[in-house]
């Protein structure tokens, strides 16, 4: 019962985080799994009744164990913004950005959040100020400044379905998009960033770039709320089991102890 309550708390934490990010652009919801503990052979300790050999009591399982937390990479719905700075990916793939940590270490992160803007120097950046990489930087995994996208902030620009950025009727850059052969080799970094781990293999992204749109979170609020109610009921059931045991022990100590 106790391990069941711990498992339900973990699932509830994951679902509340999904609900908190229901309005976060490009957020991918998470889910929690559970599994059983390995069976163990229980024996009597210091039992000398059988020629000094411990007597087996049988196999027991200590309850439920918290499993892995997984990410659902299914595509979210699109929201029309009609802004030239907003882009979304229709299909599999990620935008590549140059991310600098607090320690000053620069690396490539990947995201589905296409809410971009142009800074005072004319560079295309995310809302957090991270530089958006061009196609060469995305393919090579190079977060260097030579792969930043720089535009004329005084001129309008357009982005076509292949990610080419047009300004003054000329192609000035291409948005860096890339995909991965197996998403199991991706791990979350923050809420909307992803980073590859050892074994990850990049492939060409097949997604089309949609200008003037933003991809919303793939969180279904009603579904998450229903699941939360179910988890709460299961938690309460385990709680009642513990209360029953507690009441039984109280009777054993207070009432039977008097006898």
């Amino acid at each position: 019962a106790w391990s069941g309550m711990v498992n339900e708390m973990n699932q509830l934490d994951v679902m509340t985080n999904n609900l908190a990010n229901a309005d976060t652009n490009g957020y991918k919801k998470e889910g929690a799994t559970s599994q059983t503990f390995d069976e163990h052979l229980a024996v009597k300790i210091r039992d000398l009744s059988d020629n000094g050999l411990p007597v087996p009591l049988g196999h027991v399982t200590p309850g439920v164990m918290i499993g892995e937390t997984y990410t659902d990479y299914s595509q979210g719905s699109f929201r029309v913004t009609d802004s030239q700075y907003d882009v979304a990916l229709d299909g599999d793939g990620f935008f590549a950005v140059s991310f600098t940590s607090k320690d000053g270490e620069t690396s490539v992160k990947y995201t589905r959040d296409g809410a971009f803007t142009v800074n005072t120097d004319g560079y295309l950046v995310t809302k957090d100020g991270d530089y958006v990489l061009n196609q060469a930087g995305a393919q090579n995994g190079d977060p260097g400044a030579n792969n930043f996208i720089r535009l004329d902030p005084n001129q309008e620009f357009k982005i076509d379905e292949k990610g080419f950025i047009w300004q003054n009727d000329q192609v000035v850059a291409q948005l860096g998009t890339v995909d991965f052969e197996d998403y199991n080799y991706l791990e979350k970094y923050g809420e909307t960033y992803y980073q590859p781990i050892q074994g990850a293999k990049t492939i060409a992204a097949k997604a089309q770039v949609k200008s003037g749109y933003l991809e919303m979170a793939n969180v279904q609020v009603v579904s998450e709320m229903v699941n939360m109610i179910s988890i709460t009921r299961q938690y309460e059931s385990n709680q009642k089991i513990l209360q029953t045991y507690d009441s039984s022990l109280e009777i054993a100590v207070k009432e039977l102890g008097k006898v």
Side-chain angles (χ1 to χ4, degrees), residues 4-18 27-35 64-72 188 224 227 231 234:
M5 292 174 68
V6 172
N7 179 71
E8 301 301 336
M9 288 175 61
N10 177 67
Q11 292 195 12
L12 191 62
D13 288 341
V14 173
M15 290 197 175
T16 52
N17 184 61
N18 289 338
Y27 176 81
K28 301 303 178 184
K29 68 177 181 179
E30 295 181 319
T33 61
S34 59
Q35 60 191 76
V64 61
M65 180 172 61
I66 295 176
E68 297 180 354
T69 300
Y70 65 90
T71 302
D72 180 2
K188 268 195 172 182
E224 295 295 311
N227 290 334
I231 289 174
Q234 295 173 26

Side-chain angles (χ1 to χ4, degrees), residues 36-49:
T36 59
F37 284 96
D38 293 335
E39 287 190 352
H40 294 280
L41 178 63
V43 298
K44 290 182 179 180
I45 301 175
R46 297 177 182 176
D47 181 23
L48 303 178
S49 61

Side-chain angles (χ1 to χ4, degrees), residues 3-4 15 17 32 44 46 50 56 78-79 82 97 102 110 113 117 134 161 165 172 178 187 191 198 224 234 246 258:
S3 64
M15 290 197 175
N17 184 61
K44 290 182 179 180
R46 297 177 182 176
D50 190 9
F78 289 164
R79 177 168 62 89
D82 292 328
V97 298
K102 294 181 179 179
Y110 302 91
D113 183 5
T117 187
N134 58 23
E161 292 186 347
I165 303 176
V172 294
V178 71
E187 65 178 5
E191 299 301 341
Q198 186 176 3
E224 295 295 311
Q234 295 173 26
D246 184 62
K258 294 179 181 180

Side-chain angles (χ1 to χ4, degrees), residues 5 25 51 76 91-92 110 114 126 138 147 167 177-178 181 205 223 241:
M5 292 174 68
N25 298 326
N51 298 323
D92 296 333
Y110 302 91
T126 67
N147 291 315
Q167 199 167 41
T177 59
V178 71
E181 191 175 271
S223 177
I241 292 175

Side-chain angles (χ1 to χ4, degrees), residues 130-204:
D130 299 321
Y131 293 95
V132 180
L133 296 177
N134 58 23
Q135 188 60 37
Q139 288 180 341
N140 302 326
D142 183 5
N146 56 313
N147 291 315
F148 295 171
I149 298 176
R150 193 171 190 179
L151 307 172
D152 185 350
N154 298 320
Q155 298 288 335
E156 292 186 355
F157 62 88
K158 294 182 180 180
I159 303 176
D160 62 21
E161 292 186 347
K162 294 184 178 179
F164 288 106
I165 303 176
W166 294 79
Q167 199 167 41
N168 293 327
D169 295 328
Q170 293 183 345
V171 175
V172 294
Q174 184 182 12
L175 282 175
T177 59
V178 71
D179 198 10
F180 292 88
E181 191 175 271
D182 190 347
Y183 288 173
N184 289 321
Y185 292 94
L186 285 180
E187 65 178 5
K188 268 195 172 182
Y189 189 92
E191 299 301 341
T192 59
Y193 279 177
Y194 301 89
Q195 61 184 8
I197 61 176
Q198 186 176 3
K201 295 181 180 179
T202 58
I203 58 176

